[in-house]
Amino acid sequence: MTSKQTPPLGDSTLAVRSGFDRSSMMEHAEPIVTTSSFVFNSAAEAAARFSGESQGMTYSRFSNPTVQVFEKRLAALEQMANSIATASGMAAINLLFMGTMRAGEHIVCTRNMFGSTVNQIKNILPRFGIEVSWANSFSPDEWASLITEKTRYLYLETPTNPLTEVADINALADVAHAAGVKLVVDNCFCTPALQKPTQFGADIVIHSATKYLDGQGRCVGGAVVGSDDLIEELTSYMRSVGPCMSPFNAWVFLKGLETLSLRMHQHSRNAMVLASWLETHADVARVHYPGLNSHPQHALANAQQKAGGGILSFDLKGGKEAAWQLIDHTKLCSITANLGDSRTTITHNATTTHGRISAEDRKASGVTDGLVRLSVGLEDVEDIQRDLEQALSAG
Ligand SMILES: *Cc1c(COP(=O)(O)O)cnc(C)c1O
């Protein structure tokens, strides 16, 4: 940002201007600085840079100007001190755990999370002595009962995928802080445009930038957002381990952030129209969307989120057969397990994202055979509705 602007600035202003200092060329848009390393004017300057005595870039594995603009801008939007960008969302999650935890320490988390997150926590972390307890609900009492003296983090996503259950961030932050533990929220579904977990007491935010931060299905990336001390600790780990974001990807995500708020509100408006319509459809047993009055945590979602977001799911009365029929008859919606794209995507979770989970566990988690998830895109909502309507009646 140039010195002409003075804080506090609104989100839309931060999204297009924050984190950027022009070079002597006075460029208007952020440049992509594609260089692996940086040069110094003297041996003494090199030594000072490497020891951390003087600020500045040294090597793009842990410092790059384009990546840094993205890191500062994302942190500004989350109203947190700083962030560190990573090669993917999964790398961000791994960076937090491996970069800060020791063997013998423990986390509490929910099973209702992105599949690869569950796999990493369940299958990888225990190999390094990190222990895990799983909560079956968002009940603060249950989470409190699972905390031990070794617990470092409570970890969750809200709203959950694909049933859009909403966790009470405030209540769980109180549970965490009473025990001297930090609350981590994966804010991928809402993004800071709709929900700022730190306003409700969360200490650390995780992002898969691959989803809505880009929002156009172009790049894979992620970030951890938190305090200056945390980011310093993670930067030191990044320096030795290296799951960094490329400058090109950072630039794509910067362009994504510029339109993030506009897109998230339009995704939400489109999703609300479709959720309300689906609720009245004869073939649909139930619609899961935080924006609906019928959602069990509608009031909590209203308090925490500016809008319902772009993800909804619904149960078809006809089970798996009806779900596959619908999916196969769509002409506009893309059949993919991805989400957070400008194009509407449609997914049968029981046989894709949740396909490797036992039928029993799937049932317990509410992912029925008739469940269909929509990541509602930015097309004209009438066109998406017409596509679903003809596909539902084509069966
Ligand atoms: C996709 C996703 C991730 C992982 O992000 P990648 O960029 O694909 O590695 C983590 N959390 C949530 C909620 C996701 O949807």
Side-chain angles (χ1 to χ4, degrees):
M1 230 176 316
T2 66
S3 51
K4 275 202 295 184
Q5 295 119 23
T6 47
L9 297 166
D11 268 14
S12 299
T13 309
L14 292 173
V16 298
R17 290 191 179 272
S18 66
F20 177 46
D21 295 311
R22 289 190 185 104
S23 77
S24 58
M25 286 188 293
M26 293 298 279
E27 67 278 23
H28 196 198
E30 305 80 1
I32 310 176
V33 183
T34 52
T35 181
S36 52
S37 65
F38 299 82
V39 293
F40 312 102
N41 289 311
S42 65
E45 188 182 68
R49 240 3 120 66
F50 270 83
S51 71
E53 221 169 278
S54 86
Q55 294 284 311
M57 305 291 153
T58 49
Y59 190 65
S60 283
R61 188 190 324 113
F62 49 95
S63 56
N64 175 276
T66 313
V67 176
Q68 203 170 72
V69 182
F70 170 73
E71 291 169 336
K72 285 189 184 165
R73 192 167 293 176
L74 180 62
L77 290 172
E78 286 287 7
Q79 294 179 352
M80 296 175 92
N82 205 350
S83 84
I84 181 163
T86 53
S88 68
M90 293 321 303
I93 296 167
N94 195 253
L95 183 69
L96 174 67
F97 292 138
M98 301 298 277
T100 61
M101 294 183 77
R102 305 286 176 271
E105 291 183 332
H106 170 253
I107 61 172
V108 181
C109 55
T110 150
R111 281 178 218 280
N112 279 334
M113 293 194 293
F114 184 64
S116 296
T117 306
V118 173
N119 283 337
Q120 183 181 128
I121 291 174
K122 195 170 154 184
N123 301 324
I124 312 252
L125 298 188
R127 288 206 256 133
F128 298 90
I130 294 171
E131 290 165 18
V132 186
S133 296
W134 301 90
N136 293 310
S137 70
F138 284 131
S139 146
D141 289 344
E142 189 188 353
W143 287 65
S145 75
L146 295 171
I147 294 176
T148 72
E149 56 191 26
K150 298 283 190 188
T151 307
R152 289 286 304 277
Y153 300 121
L154 307 187
Y155 190 100
L156 59 89
E157 294 171 13
T158 181
T160 63
N161 178 17
L163 295 172
T164 73
E165 286 164 74
V166 177
D168 188 335
I169 301 175
N170 239 322
L172 290 166
D174 286 348
V175 166
H177 298 157
V181 170
K182 295 210 181 317
L183 178 67
V184 187
V185 175
D186 180 329
N187 200 26
C188 178
F189 268 39
C190 276
T191 81
L194 300 185
Q195 167 175 282
K196 298 186 201 300
T198 188
Q199 289 182 337
F200 305 97
D203 304 285
I204 299 166
V205 166
I206 297 284
H207 275 290
S208 165
T210 317
K211 311 297 167 48
Y212 287 113
L213 298 191
D214 170 30
Q216 290 147 84
R218 299 171 293 192
C219 283
V220 176
V224 182
V225 197
S227 68
D228 282 325
D229 284 351
L230 174 74
I231 301 308
E232 201 179 308
E233 190 179 2
L234 295 181
T235 302
S236 154
Y237 185 82
M238 174 71 88
R239 196 167 171 157
S240 306
V241 179
C244 53
M245 179 182 283
S246 82
F248 176 78
N249 286 9
W251 181 82
V252 172
F253 295 132
L254 277 172
K255 298 299 108 183
L257 286 182
E258 290 187 4
T259 57
L260 181 66
S261 175
L262 289 172
R263 286 186 288 105
M264 291 312 294
H265 282 98
Q266 190 59 35
H267 281 297
S268 302
R269 274 192 289 272
N270 285 356
M272 189 65 200
V273 170
L274 295 175
S276 307
W277 164 68
L278 283 164
E279 226 176 9
T280 66
H281 198 284
D283 296 346
V284 175
R286 194 167 158 206
V287 182
H288 308 272
Y289 184 64
L292 291 175
N293 281 324
S294 60
H295 189 282
Q297 296 112 19
H298 178 62
L300 176 61
N302 268 350
Q304 258 174 210
Q305 305 174 201
K306 281 193 195 159
I311 311 288
L312 66 89
S313 63
F314 53 100
D315 278 309
L316 283 169
K317 290 176 186 165
K320 178 185 157 187
E321 200 181 326
W324 278 31
Q325 286 265 13
L326 160 66
I327 291 170
D328 287 345
H329 282 95
T330 55
K331 297 187 169 118
L332 189 69
C333 301
S334 311
I335 307 173
T336 165
N338 193 25
L339 57 86
D341 197 290
S342 53
R343 289 151 289 213
T344 299
T345 64
I346 190 163
T347 307
H348 184 241
N349 295 92
T351 51
T352 59
T353 56
H354 291 61
R356 284 182 296 172
I357 302 171
S358 74
E360 210 170 278
D361 284 354
R362 202 161 52 230
K363 211 165 166 201
S365 75
V367 178
T368 62
D369 289 346
L371 190 81
V372 174
R373 184 188 71 198
L374 281 183
S375 167
V376 180
L378 299 175
E379 302 95 340
D380 290 295
V381 69
E382 299 79 16
D383 292 334
I384 313 170
Q385 182 172 333
R386 212 174 296 125
D387 189 38
L388 294 171
E389 206 158 16
Q390 63 79 26
L392 278 166
S393 56

